[in-house]
Short mmCIF file of all heavy atoms in Angstrom, two decimals:
data_model
loop_
_atom_site.label_atom_id
_atom_site.label_comp_id
_atom_site.label_asym_id
_atom_site.label_seq_id
_atom_site.Cartn_x
_atom_site.Cartn_y
_atom_site.Cartn_z
N MET A 574 -8.69 -2.68 -28.22
CA MET A 574 -8.89 -3.91 -28.99
C MET A 574 -7.62 -4.72 -29.11
O MET A 574 -7.64 -5.96 -29.05
CB MET A 574 -9.39 -3.57 -30.40
CG MET A 574 -10.74 -2.92 -30.42
SD MET A 574 -12.03 -3.94 -29.69
CE MET A 574 -13.40 -2.76 -29.65
N ALA A 575 -6.49 -4.09 -29.27
CA ALA A 575 -5.21 -4.76 -29.38
C ALA A 575 -4.81 -5.38 -28.08
O ALA A 575 -4.23 -6.50 -28.03
CB ALA A 575 -4.14 -3.80 -29.88
N LEU A 576 -5.03 -4.67 -26.97
CA LEU A 576 -4.60 -5.16 -25.65
C LEU A 576 -5.56 -6.24 -25.12
O LEU A 576 -5.15 -7.06 -24.27
CB LEU A 576 -4.54 -4.02 -24.65
CG LEU A 576 -3.35 -3.03 -24.74
CD1 LEU A 576 -3.57 -1.87 -23.80
CD2 LEU A 576 -2.08 -3.73 -24.43
N GLY A 577 -6.82 -6.24 -25.53
CA GLY A 577 -7.82 -7.11 -24.93
C GLY A 577 -8.22 -6.61 -23.55
O GLY A 577 -8.16 -7.37 -22.58
N CYS A 578 -8.67 -5.35 -23.51
CA CYS A 578 -8.98 -4.74 -22.25
C CYS A 578 -10.30 -5.23 -21.68
O CYS A 578 -11.03 -5.94 -22.31
CB CYS A 578 -9.03 -3.20 -22.39
SG CYS A 578 -7.41 -2.46 -22.69
N SER A 579 -10.60 -4.79 -20.44
CA SER A 579 -11.83 -5.11 -19.76
C SER A 579 -13.01 -4.54 -20.51
O SER A 579 -12.98 -3.50 -21.13
CB SER A 579 -11.79 -4.49 -18.36
OG SER A 579 -13.08 -4.49 -17.78
N THR A 580 -14.15 -5.32 -20.44
CA THR A 580 -15.40 -4.82 -21.02
C THR A 580 -15.85 -3.51 -20.34
O THR A 580 -16.62 -2.76 -20.95
CB THR A 580 -16.51 -5.84 -20.86
OG1 THR A 580 -16.65 -6.28 -19.49
CG2 THR A 580 -16.31 -7.07 -21.74
N ASN A 581 -15.35 -3.23 -19.16
CA ASN A 581 -15.71 -1.98 -18.49
C ASN A 581 -15.31 -0.73 -19.25
O ASN A 581 -15.82 0.34 -19.10
CB ASN A 581 -15.16 -1.96 -17.07
CG ASN A 581 -16.02 -2.75 -16.12
OD1 ASN A 581 -17.22 -2.63 -16.07
ND2 ASN A 581 -15.37 -3.64 -15.36
N SER A 582 -14.26 -0.91 -20.09
CA SER A 582 -13.85 0.24 -20.93
C SER A 582 -14.99 0.71 -21.82
O SER A 582 -15.03 1.91 -22.23
CB SER A 582 -12.63 -0.11 -21.76
OG SER A 582 -12.92 -1.13 -22.70
N MET A 583 -15.94 -0.17 -22.10
CA MET A 583 -17.09 0.20 -22.94
C MET A 583 -18.16 0.92 -22.13
O MET A 583 -19.19 1.34 -22.69
CB MET A 583 -17.69 -1.03 -23.65
CG MET A 583 -16.71 -1.65 -24.62
SD MET A 583 -16.10 -0.47 -25.86
CE MET A 583 -17.59 -0.07 -26.69
N LEU A 584 -17.96 1.08 -20.88
CA LEU A 584 -18.75 2.02 -20.05
C LEU A 584 -17.99 3.33 -19.89
O LEU A 584 -18.58 4.41 -19.96
CB LEU A 584 -18.99 1.44 -18.65
CG LEU A 584 -20.00 0.34 -18.49
CD1 LEU A 584 -19.95 -0.24 -17.08
CD2 LEU A 584 -21.42 0.85 -18.82
N HIS A 585 -16.67 3.24 -19.68
CA HIS A 585 -15.89 4.43 -19.33
C HIS A 585 -15.52 5.31 -20.53
O HIS A 585 -15.58 6.53 -20.42
CB HIS A 585 -14.67 3.99 -18.56
CG HIS A 585 -14.97 3.22 -17.31
ND1 HIS A 585 -16.07 3.52 -16.49
CD2 HIS A 585 -14.38 2.12 -16.77
CE1 HIS A 585 -16.11 2.67 -15.51
NE2 HIS A 585 -15.11 1.79 -15.64
N LEU A 586 -15.17 4.71 -21.65
CA LEU A 586 -14.84 5.53 -22.84
C LEU A 586 -16.03 6.38 -23.28
O LEU A 586 -15.88 7.55 -23.58
CB LEU A 586 -14.29 4.65 -23.95
CG LEU A 586 -12.87 4.11 -23.76
CD1 LEU A 586 -12.47 3.22 -24.91
CD2 LEU A 586 -11.85 5.23 -23.57
N PRO A 587 -17.29 5.78 -23.34
CA PRO A 587 -18.41 6.63 -23.64
C PRO A 587 -18.63 7.76 -22.66
O PRO A 587 -19.07 8.90 -23.00
CB PRO A 587 -19.63 5.66 -23.66
CG PRO A 587 -18.98 4.35 -23.97
CD PRO A 587 -17.64 4.37 -23.33
N ALA A 588 -18.40 7.49 -21.34
CA ALA A 588 -18.63 8.51 -20.31
C ALA A 588 -17.60 9.61 -20.49
O ALA A 588 -17.95 10.81 -20.28
CB ALA A 588 -18.54 7.86 -18.91
N ILE A 589 -16.37 9.26 -20.75
CA ILE A 589 -15.30 10.29 -20.98
C ILE A 589 -15.63 11.09 -22.25
O ILE A 589 -15.52 12.35 -22.24
CB ILE A 589 -13.93 9.63 -21.07
CG1 ILE A 589 -13.54 8.96 -19.74
CG2 ILE A 589 -12.86 10.65 -21.46
CD1 ILE A 589 -12.46 7.92 -19.85
N ALA A 590 -16.07 10.39 -23.28
CA ALA A 590 -16.44 11.02 -24.53
C ALA A 590 -17.58 12.05 -24.32
O ALA A 590 -17.59 13.13 -24.88
CB ALA A 590 -16.84 10.01 -25.59
N HIS A 591 -18.51 11.67 -23.50
CA HIS A 591 -19.65 12.54 -23.19
C HIS A 591 -19.18 13.87 -22.63
O HIS A 591 -19.78 14.94 -22.92
CB HIS A 591 -20.59 11.85 -22.19
CG HIS A 591 -21.73 12.72 -21.73
ND1 HIS A 591 -22.80 13.05 -22.55
CD2 HIS A 591 -22.00 13.26 -20.52
CE1 HIS A 591 -23.62 13.79 -21.86
NE2 HIS A 591 -23.16 13.96 -20.65
N GLU A 592 -18.12 13.86 -21.84
CA GLU A 592 -17.63 15.10 -21.22
C GLU A 592 -17.07 16.08 -22.25
O GLU A 592 -16.97 17.29 -21.96
CB GLU A 592 -16.54 14.77 -20.15
CG GLU A 592 -17.04 13.93 -19.01
CD GLU A 592 -18.02 14.64 -18.12
OE1 GLU A 592 -18.08 15.91 -18.14
OE2 GLU A 592 -18.72 13.97 -17.36
N ILE A 593 -16.67 15.59 -23.40
CA ILE A 593 -16.17 16.51 -24.44
C ILE A 593 -17.21 16.71 -25.58
O ILE A 593 -16.87 17.28 -26.62
CB ILE A 593 -14.82 16.03 -25.03
CG1 ILE A 593 -15.00 14.68 -25.74
CG2 ILE A 593 -13.73 15.93 -23.95
CD1 ILE A 593 -13.81 14.30 -26.65
N GLY A 594 -18.42 16.17 -25.35
CA GLY A 594 -19.46 16.38 -26.33
C GLY A 594 -19.43 15.43 -27.49
O GLY A 594 -20.05 15.65 -28.55
N PHE A 595 -18.76 14.28 -27.31
CA PHE A 595 -18.67 13.25 -28.36
C PHE A 595 -19.69 12.16 -28.01
O PHE A 595 -19.57 11.51 -26.97
CB PHE A 595 -17.25 12.69 -28.42
CG PHE A 595 -17.02 11.48 -29.28
CD1 PHE A 595 -17.90 11.17 -30.36
CD2 PHE A 595 -15.91 10.67 -29.09
CE1 PHE A 595 -17.63 10.06 -31.12
CE2 PHE A 595 -15.70 9.58 -29.88
CZ PHE A 595 -16.55 9.25 -30.90
N ASP A 596 -20.67 11.98 -28.84
CA ASP A 596 -21.74 10.99 -28.61
C ASP A 596 -21.21 9.63 -29.06
O ASP A 596 -21.29 9.29 -30.21
CB ASP A 596 -23.02 11.36 -29.37
CG ASP A 596 -24.18 10.43 -29.04
OD1 ASP A 596 -24.05 9.66 -28.08
OD2 ASP A 596 -25.19 10.48 -29.72
N PHE A 597 -20.71 8.84 -28.14
CA PHE A 597 -20.07 7.58 -28.38
C PHE A 597 -21.06 6.43 -28.31
O PHE A 597 -21.55 6.09 -27.21
CB PHE A 597 -18.96 7.40 -27.37
CG PHE A 597 -18.08 6.19 -27.51
CD1 PHE A 597 -16.76 6.31 -27.88
CD2 PHE A 597 -18.59 4.90 -27.31
CE1 PHE A 597 -15.95 5.17 -28.03
CE2 PHE A 597 -17.79 3.78 -27.45
CZ PHE A 597 -16.46 3.94 -27.82
N ASP A 598 -21.45 5.88 -29.43
CA ASP A 598 -22.35 4.74 -29.47
C ASP A 598 -21.50 3.46 -29.35
O ASP A 598 -20.51 3.30 -30.12
CB ASP A 598 -23.13 4.72 -30.81
CG ASP A 598 -24.17 3.63 -30.86
OD1 ASP A 598 -23.82 2.45 -30.63
OD2 ASP A 598 -25.34 3.94 -31.11
#
Side-chain angles (χ1 to χ4, degrees):
M574 295 301 171
L576 285 172
C578 290
S579 165
T580 53
N581 281 310
S582 64
M583 295 306 295
L584 285 171
H585 302 321
L586 288 177
I589 295 161
H591 176 71
E592 297 293 341
I593 63 165
F595 172 22
D596 186 12
F597 184 112
D598 186 306

